[in-house]
Amino acid sequence: MIRIDSVSKQNSHQLLFVEASAALLRGEKVGLVGPNGAGKSTLFRMMTGREIPDEGQVLVDRGITIGYFDQDVGEMSGHSAVAEVMNGAGPVSEIAAELHALEQAMADPERLDEIDALVEAYGEVQHRFEELDGYALEGRAREVLAGLSFSQEMMDGDVGRLSGGWKMRVALARILLMKPDVMLLDEPSNHLDIESLIWLEQFLRGYEGALMMTSHDRAFMNRIVNRILEIDGGQLTSYSGDYEFYETQRALSEKQQQARFERQQAMLAKELAFIERFKARASHAAQVQSRVKKLDKIDRVEPPRRRQTVRFDFPPAPRCGEDVVSLEGVDKAYGAKVIYRGFDFAVRRRERWCVMGVNGAGKSTLLKLVAGASTPDTGTVKTGASVKMGYFAQHAMDLLDGDATIFEWLDAKFPQAGQGSLRALAGAFGFSGDDVEKRCRVLSGGEKARLVMAAMLYDPPNFLVLDEPTNHLDLATKEMLIEALGDYEGAMLFVSHDRHFLSELSNRVLELTPDGIHAFGGGYKEYVARTGHEAPGVGG
């Protein structure tokens, strides 16, 4: 359906692709992976014709429809979320807009004299709308929006009043409703809660067209794709199987490549030693000459390319008492909406609680109450002796000073720290060399999240309260964070929509549901096994 044929592409000074080739075939579901900045979004833009390769070509079968979702959703306002989603569905959406305009005209008291003509026009347009199955279209649009966790009120409200994350869901819904022959989805799992993720997973599994997507959520990717296309060092390499299989294969081929490289290096060293030893002896001149020629002809084996990986190293946290935090008889409401009534809850040392619940169930509210960012209407929240808390809030990244450089921001936070230790801290979180001179306002979401975490963990807390800590992190950084938190000895209370993160780190689950609050001993894996579902409100 789409063929990438010997494509080369350079962006400013960076070579992204060098004679790279690949294909996307009918019905395939492909995960596109590679380090940040490797060219994943550029490849999507070339496939949609928004960018052209410097050399080579991208060939698209005639008559193919392509739906492309990226993080840049553009301006949306002036109509409802449902209308915005239907607008992406081709001619039927134009007729729907015509119908809407006629309905408004018929309801306008100043146009009563035109009512007969308006009614007649409305009948004709309505007939065309019915022929194109327009009424079913609205039902389907609402179904997709509901799957992405929209309430009826949000569907019918002005799309312009929604936050950026919800506008992204609208843009995604538009592509899903369109059901094109090919879907190119750049990070569709960003900004989605776990319920929407599970719904989207099922939708994409049932989608019959070809799909290529990037995602920082490995569980999501594993369940959908049947092939991985990796961008690395300007090349495209294909691996059949899911993300897990790709990781195993990649590690294996790196090991084999390293072994081949070491064998060749040992052989070269031996040959060079012989040449060096006998080059001055006339009796060995022919042998030396033949070995020099042999070395010139050898195809050199490259060592495997080393991925730049961030390494989180937590200094050990000071020990605290057994009781970390306790809530007793807590009531909390926002206006008429009651979140908690007579709520009792406690976190003890070395417990790692993950909090599950649908949107609006009170997950972030609980974390705010525990962190002291919000106070209960009645009841008490008590923190135990020697507890030192680190709180990562969803809005934590908005508190960075945009004008300060990374180094200046860290220096202002820790004026007592030496320059060397702050540079070492920045380096441990992926900001090495000149990166520390970047201004905070130009940082990506992932870089901002890493910087806030660096500050939080510099002076290690023994109780971590984390609200969606992995939201902006790529797969490699997320993996490093999971590894580091695995060794962390303090207590944790966290909310995450990343099932791999939940599985690896929790040893307790608190489930918030309309029927009440349930606590489960054992982590997320045990919770799924016991309840038969991956999140409250989602079938098994």
Side-chain angles (χ1 to χ4, degrees), residues 126-387:
Q126 193 176 33
H127 180 64
R128 275 187 2 246
F129 191 62
E130 280 169 358
E131 277 182 339
L132 287 168
D133 207 13
Y135 289 108
L137 185 78
E138 180 171 339
R140 273 177 35 228
R142 287 183 182 276
E143 209 176 290
V144 170
L145 284 168
L148 295 174
S149 300
F150 279 75
S151 63
Q152 290 300 326
E153 200 182 330
M154 288 166 82
M155 291 182 202
D156 295 317
D158 183 351
V159 71
R161 288 206 293 273
L162 297 174
S163 70
W166 285 99
K167 280 182 180 165
M168 253 173 213
R169 296 187 195 209
V170 171
L172 177 59
R174 210 161 36 193
I175 309 281
L176 301 181
L177 181 70
M178 178 184 165
K179 283 205 173 159
D181 301 314
V182 176
M183 270 195 223
L184 304 177
L185 305 180
D186 200 357
E187 295 297 344
S189 52
N190 268 9
H191 302 283
L192 295 186
D193 51 73
I194 198 163
E195 293 79 19
S196 306
L197 264 176
I198 291 164
W199 178 87
L200 179 58
E201 215 165 77
Q202 287 162 347
F203 184 97
L204 292 176
R205 280 215 298 263
Y207 165 66
E208 287 171 5
L211 168 72
M212 188 182 279
M213 68 169 192
T214 63
S215 174
H216 290 161
D217 187 318
R218 62 187 289 156
F220 179 72
M221 184 110 82
N222 268 335
R223 292 164 191 224
I224 295 166
V225 305
N226 47 30
R227 183 159 73 90
I228 293 285
L229 190 63
E230 178 193 56
I231 306 179
D232 198 10
Q235 294 302 310
L236 290 166
T237 311
S238 179
Y239 295 80
S240 56
D242 61 12
Y243 185 78
E244 209 99 324
F245 178 76
Y246 150 75
E247 266 197 324
T248 313
Q249 285 301 107
R250 191 194 154 85
L252 187 65
S253 60
E254 268 186 10
K255 209 171 162 185
Q256 289 167 342
Q257 177 85 346
Q258 184 67 32
R260 280 198 301 272
F261 173 71
E262 284 169 9
R263 274 200 305 274
Q264 191 182 65
Q265 289 300 304
M267 182 272 288
L268 292 173
K270 209 166 144 189
E271 294 292 320
L272 287 166
F274 179 90
I275 292 164
E276 199 54 42
R277 189 172 163 202
F278 295 110
K279 67 181 178 190
R281 295 192 196 176
S283 59
H284 286 72
Q287 278 172 292
V288 166
Q289 207 48 46
S290 102
R291 291 193 185 206
V292 167
K293 279 182 185 162
K294 182 178 142 191
L295 287 190
D296 285 343
K297 286 181 187 161
I298 281 178
D299 278 339
R300 299 295 163 112
V301 174
E302 294 289 324
R305 270 192 294 271
R306 289 275 167 252
R307 284 282 173 93
Q308 280 286 161
T309 49
V310 184
R311 178 81 224 152
F312 297 122
D313 276 319
F314 290 84
R319 193 181 160 132
C320 62
E322 278 306 306
D323 297 323
V324 177
V325 72
S326 63
L327 284 73
E328 287 174 17
V330 164
D331 288 1
K332 184 70 184 175
Y334 295 109
K337 188 171 168 60
V338 175
I339 308 287
Y340 294 111
R341 169 130 317 141
F343 177 44
D344 298 329
F345 174 62
V347 177
R348 297 203 160 74
R349 199 168 75 83
R350 301 190 83 137
E351 288 184 341
R352 298 156 165 232
W353 287 89
C354 73
V355 187
M356 309 290 299
V358 297
N359 268 342
K363 300 186 296 291
S364 292
T365 301
L366 172 59
L367 269 54
K368 284 177 186 162
L369 287 166
V370 166
S374 176
T375 51
D377 300 337
T378 57
T380 59
V381 178
K382 280 192 203 129
T383 307
S386 317
V387 167

